[in-house]
Amino acid sequence: MAITIDSKLKDVMANPAAVEIMEKYIPGFSSNPQLKLGYRMTFKTISKFPQAKQFGLSDEVLAKLLEEWAALG
């Protein structure tokens, strides 16, 4: 399944290659204790929270993530 901005966090976390890309841009993301709070949310929703910016999910990083996730197929 392709990972997109409409993918839920739980789907991203179930894809080791997608997690590796996340860690490349936001080191420590997958070990963040607050992570499970967002498992049912899409990246579109998550990216709108102010906390996302604090953790490094800027618009630029999101664009890079989406580009690399799209390349996964």
Side-chain angles (χ1 to χ4, degrees), residues 14-28:
N15 183 323
V19 172
E20 186 176 326
I21 293 168
M22 280 293 302
E23 285 293 327
K24 176 179 169 181
Y25 292 104
I26 308 174

Side-chain angles (χ1 to χ4, degrees), residues 33-70:
Q34 296 178 343
L35 190 66
K36 292 198 179 199
L37 297 173
Y39 263 36
R40 294 181 185 215
M41 294 182 205
T42 66
F43 263 83
K44 183 184 243 178
T45 300
I46 292 169
S47 68
K48 294 178 183 180
F49 285 103
Q51 296 90 332
K53 306 289 188 242
Q54 293 171 347
F55 290 113
L57 188 61
S58 65
D59 293 338
E60 295 82 18
V61 168
L62 182 59
K64 290 177 184 179
L65 288 172
L66 294 173
E67 182 180 327
E68 290 199 34
W69 286 341

